[in-house]
Amino acid sequence: MRAIRVASAALLGVTALTFCAPAAVASGDDDHYVMSNGYGVLPSAVSAGGQVTVQVDRDTSGCKGSVTVTSGVFDTVVIPRGSSSALVVVDRNARAGASYRVTFSCGGLSAVKELTIVGGRPVDPSPLYPVPQGVHAGGGGSVAGFDLREIGLGAAIVAGSVGAAYYLARRRTGEDGG
């Protein structure tokens, strides 16, 4: 009988940890995607019907397999292993002034970039090759992008479940011994 009680308390603790883990990294903004460097959309502003180059820097991103690129403003495209870019045509019905999310997926990880639609003629998609850019600094460390309220809530849930498991285990022990 004691094994069932201990197993129930352990299951309660594991359940609490399972529900706390996604809250530690989930958020409404795009800064919490696992990988964000090494992906790009050139140009980042284009008119409806224009062409853009979606690209992946294999060394920076760490992605060695194929990359699936999706957006609400163009058809899904796959950048195959060994290639670093693909050319896509933006839908003609894209709304001028709108900003669309472009999602790069590689091996279960995702990165998000923005594509802005401007008015006028389609923009020439040159350059087709990566343009050297500066280093993206300031996002390092183990607490970059964390929300203290989410961390506190997760810690409170974990502490509460551990406390409840301890209380139930100790209370049941007293009943078995007497």
Side-chain angles (χ1 to χ4, degrees), residues 53-75:
T53 302
V54 290
Q55 60 187 16
V56 56
D57 182 348
R58 300 289 183 174
D59 295 330
T60 304
S61 68
C63 178
K64 303 301 179 200
S66 63
V67 179
T68 303
V69 184
T70 58
S71 179
V73 74
F74 56 77
D75 293 333

Side-chain angles (χ1 to χ4, degrees), residues 15-26:
T15 302
L17 287 174
T18 302
F19 286 119
C20 291
V25 288

Side-chain angles (χ1 to χ4, degrees), residues 58-130:
R58 300 289 183 174
D59 295 330
T60 304
S61 68
C63 178
K64 303 301 179 200
S66 63
V67 179
T68 303
V69 184
T70 58
S71 179
V73 74
F74 56 77
D75 293 333
T76 299
V77 65
V78 175
I79 302 174
R81 175 189 312 246
S83 181
S84 62
S85 65
L87 192 63
V88 295
V89 177
V90 175
D91 295 340
R92 291 209 174 272
N93 62 352
R95 193 170 34 116
S99 183
Y100 291 90
R101 179 179 287 191
V102 179
T103 304
F104 296 82
S105 300
C106 176
L109 303 176
S110 297
V112 172
K113 298 295 179 183
E114 294 294 321
L115 176 63
T116 304
I117 306 300
V118 296
R121 295 181 16 219
V123 178
D124 182 24
S126 59
L128 293 177
Y129 299 101

